Amino acid sequence: MNLLLEGVPRSALILLALFFAALIAAPMVLNDYLIVVLITILYFAYAGQCWNIMMGFAGQLSLGHALYIGLGAYVTAALYVKFGVSPWIGLLPALVIAGAVGAVIGFLAFRFGVSGVYFAILTIAFAEFARIGFDHFPWVGGAAGYFLPVANYTQNDFFNLRGSQTMFYYILLAMTVLAFVLCHLLLRSRAGYYWLAIRESPEAAEALGINIFRYKMYAVVLSAALTSLGGVIFAFFYNNLFPEQVFHISRSIELILGPIIGGIGTLFGPVVGAFLLTGLAEGLREVMLRLGIDLPGVKQVFYGICLLCVVMFLPEGVWPPLKKKLGLDRDTGKKGS
Amino acid sequence: MALLEVSGISKSFSGLKAVQNVSFEVPEGKIVGLIGPNGAGKTTCFNMIAGVYKPDTGTVMLNGARIDGRRPDEICKAGIGRTFQIVKPFAGLSVLDNVVVGALNAAASVSEARQKADEVLEILGLASKRLQAASTLTLPDRKRLEVARALATRPKLLLLDEVMAGLRPTEIDQMVRVLLDLNKRGLTILLIEHVMRAVMALSGNVIVLHHGELISRGTPDQIAKDPKVLECYLGEEAL
Ligand SMILES: Nc1ncnc2c1ncn2[C@@H]1O[C@H](COP(=O)(O)OP(=O)(O)O)[C@@H](O)[C@H]1O
Ligand SMILES: [Mg+2]
């Protein structure tokens, strides 16, 4: 507890507690549609937080995180549909497989000095391999898609992740909170310090005794494995998986917009970014619907505009200046919190 | 056996012989100066000792064990701390966190590392700036931060690459005092320096490089009278 709270300003804790309480109460007052919007927000907040470990902390840009979402989704869905394995058990092999794939990518890149843009391209390449591979993988439906049985559930079957939106909402809320707390603790740990050092200057980090290969590998494997859990929820919430959608690069991009707009390398960035982006995009959709306008691709254009605005006017993202406004930046020994 | 023994190391960069067959020793507990005109190969020597480059020829021994060709982090772990002539602060981190990263090398926990970092910041006069982002520091402070970070790793041997450059005379004297004090407490130092008053005040022995070759060695006084050295290097400066 000491480690968790030490140096965190009180005002921040109170705000956080209020925010959390509102999220817990939300399903009691919101309609189904708004709950789905919140689920989408939490999904992006969670996945963005996982991506942030790799890019925001360790400085390794992945543009292929849809790969890990897809692996988590397909592994648990296939185990459930074919063998009746509960996703809570299926997530273990999903974690291992996604982590292992992350390890392969990291190993290839970091052993052979692939970094920066080239590393990003490598991550895209692997996600594309997976997309094409699953397109031609008939065991899980190939390009025609893979479906989980859907029925009207009178009761939530928590063990098999079959049930109401509210159940998914609370599971995602728990995941997002846990990922947040984990990242907070990581930033205060040896690994956190080492990652930031590697991000800022790999040469200096190495000269200070840091095995940069090992710590970059830790970041990639952890980020990949945790991201796959987002895929588990994705599969069991939507109940259908198409390689062209799940592994598509636009999915990888969508996933990183939140942390970029919220603030790369900050704890709140992915959360703030997810609320802003999804909230505004849904609001926009609602307005268009009311006005009877139907323009395909409007969401993508909207994302593009958001990104442009942030890059031009708030290059650090929305959170750092917002934090200042809220008076939360007076903590001691601050480190991108 | 000296703490550091460099024997016959060479390094070429696509044909350019940056360092040629250089040998010297740094005995435990001493301060050795490494001087020479720009481009003489001093930094390249450091980079070979610190593991950035593997020497083309020759060996580097620390405490009798070969370290040439090992990775920089392994060499740091073996007990050599180094600064960079072109400073490489962790710009986005606070001054304190910069030094904590270094201190984690020898500390068992983050809290122990923070304690050690605070001690080191105190020694180098950076304590009042500990919560500033490193990117906001002036160049002299960045040089001090380089020293602080390397020192925090608790090295046996500290390699300092022109850490006095850009410092005012009073600041140079201050840094000299700090280094002498650290040396008294057992730290061995190899320093590259252009500021002759610092070299003279600190070094028991001086090594002179020119065009990648070792051209002279001796006490500061001997070096200052060596015609070869005067011709290529010291002559340029008003000594
Ligand atoms: N990484 C490198 N690639 C190519 N040439 C280099 C490299 N590092 C140093 N050199 C060259 O090697 C020579 C020695 O450089 P250096 O060791 O930095 O000298 P000093 O530190 O004595 O000023 C110079 O001619 C320099 O241009
Ligand atoms: Mg140099």
Side-chain angles (χ1 to χ4, degrees), chain B residues 45-123:
Chain B
C45 273
F46 263 29
N47 281 334
M48 283 190 278
I49 297 167
V52 176
Y53 305 131
K54 184 178 161 56
D56 296 339
T57 67
T59 60
V60 181
M61 314 263 263
L62 182 71
N63 261 332
R66 269 186 77 163
I67 56 164
D68 51 278
R70 314 231 55 174
R71 287 195 317 265
D73 57 296
E74 293 175 320
I75 287 173
C76 176
K77 284 265 179 315
I80 298 184
R82 65 91 47 100
T83 67
F84 291 94
Q85 179 182 356
I86 299 165
V87 294
K88 297 182 192 291
F90 303 130
L93 306 191
S94 69
V95 169
L96 174 65
D97 286 345
N98 265 265
V99 183
V100 169
V101 172
L104 279 167
N105 181 57
S109 68
V110 171
S111 59
E112 188 191 324
R114 283 175 155 256
Q115 234 164 31
K116 175 71 185 173
D118 273 329
E119 277 170 44
V120 172
L121 286 174
E122 197 67 51
I123 293 174

Side-chain angles (χ1 to χ4, degrees), chain B residues 13-14 16 18-19 36-45 53 85 161-162 192:
Chain B
F13 295 107
S14 48
L16 173 92
V19 173
N38 275 324
K42 304 181 296 293
T43 299
T44 304
C45 273
Y53 305 131
Q85 179 182 356
D161 198 346
E162 299 198 24
I192 295 176

Side-chain angles (χ1 to χ4, degrees), chain A:
Chain A
M1 224 40 195
N2 222 344
L3 185 66
L4 197 62
L5 300 180
E6 183 209 322
V8 179
R10 258 182 96 121
S11 50
L13 279 179
I14 294 168
L15 257 171
L16 207 57
L18 284 176
F19 182 55
F20 187 52
L23 283 175
I24 287 182
M28 294 162 209
V29 288
L30 297 182
N31 63 28
D32 280 0
Y33 164 68
L34 285 176
I35 293 178
V36 174
V37 173
L38 273 186
I39 287 177
T40 314
I41 289 172
L42 289 178
Y43 169 77
F44 281 121
Y46 174 81
Q49 195 75 265
C50 299
W51 175 81
N52 205 32
I53 295 175
M54 210 165 135
M55 175 61 196
F57 298 173
Q60 308 302 310
L61 174 59
S62 165
L63 293 177
H65 255 50
L67 170 60
Y68 310 119
I69 295 277
L71 287 175
Y74 269 99
V75 169
T76 44
L79 286 173
Y80 176 67
V81 173
K82 304 217 184 250
F83 309 109
V85 177
S86 155
W88 294 103
I89 294 165
L91 65 78
L92 293 173
L95 279 172
V96 171
I97 290 171
V101 170
V104 169
I105 297 175
F107 183 86
L108 286 177
F110 307 145
R111 253 299 164 259
F112 300 106
V114 176
S115 62
V117 177
Y118 300 99
F119 176 73
I121 291 172
L122 190 71
T123 62
I124 296 176
F126 269 80
E128 287 290 285
F129 284 151
R131 181 174 64 82
I132 295 161
F134 274 85
D135 259 347
H136 298 91
F137 191 18
W139 193 65
V140 286
Y146 196 54
F147 302 90
L148 282 82
V150 192
N152 256 331
Y153 302 101
T154 50
Q155 247 177 323
N156 285 335
D157 179 358
F158 181 75
F159 187 65
N160 286 316
L161 279 187
R162 310 278 71 195
S164 67
Q165 290 177 356
T166 313
M167 180 186 79
F168 282 98
Y169 173 79
Y170 281 117
I171 292 173
L172 262 174
L173 181 59
M175 284 168 65
T176 309
V177 169
L178 287 177
F180 183 92
V181 170
L182 177 71
C183 286
H184 174 73
L185 291 176
L186 279 172
L187 272 184
R188 289 163 173 236
S189 72
R190 179 180 293 267
Y193 277 96
Y194 284 3
W195 284 334
L196 298 185
I198 291 168
R199 178 190 77 191
E200 297 290 318
S201 169
E203 296 90 355
E206 223 177 359
L208 297 174
I210 301 173
N211 183 334
I212 60 174
F213 174 78
R214 175 184 301 170
Y215 277 89
K216 284 197 285 193
M217 287 296 280
Y218 288 162
V220 174
V221 170
L222 185 64
S223 176
L226 289 177
T227 303
S228 74
L229 297 185
V232 177
I233 299 300
F234 185 94
F236 284 76
F237 183 68
Y238 290 111
N239 298 307
N240 58 70
L241 298 169
F242 296 92
E244 290 301 323
Q245 286 176 9
V246 177
F247 292 108
H248 199 268
I249 180 154
S250 62
R251 275 295 146 92
S252 296
I253 302 290
E254 203 172 54
L255 193 148
I256 71 177
L257 286 175
I260 291 176
I261 284 172
I264 290 180
T266 66
L267 281 175
F268 280 97
V271 181
V272 172
F275 267 91
L276 268 180
L277 261 187
T278 309
L280 289 175
E282 286 300 323
L284 183 71
R285 204 181 68 102
E286 197 61 22
V287 169
M288 306 260 303
L289 214 64
R290 293 271 162 82
L291 297 176
I293 308 170
D294 181 23
L295 282 177
V298 81
K299 193 163 96 177
Q300 278 67 29
V301 172
F302 172 73
Y303 283 168
I305 293 171
C306 284
L307 197 59
L308 196 70
C309 289
V310 164
V311 169
M312 284 178 63
F313 303 115
L314 300 168
E316 290 188 341
V318 173
W319 176 245
L322 185 65
K323 181 164 101 173
K324 240 175 229 158
K325 278 254 156 59
L326 295 173
L328 303 180
D329 62 337
R330 50 180 186 80
D331 52 340
T332 53
K334 77 180 179 74
K335 225 181 33 154
S337 45

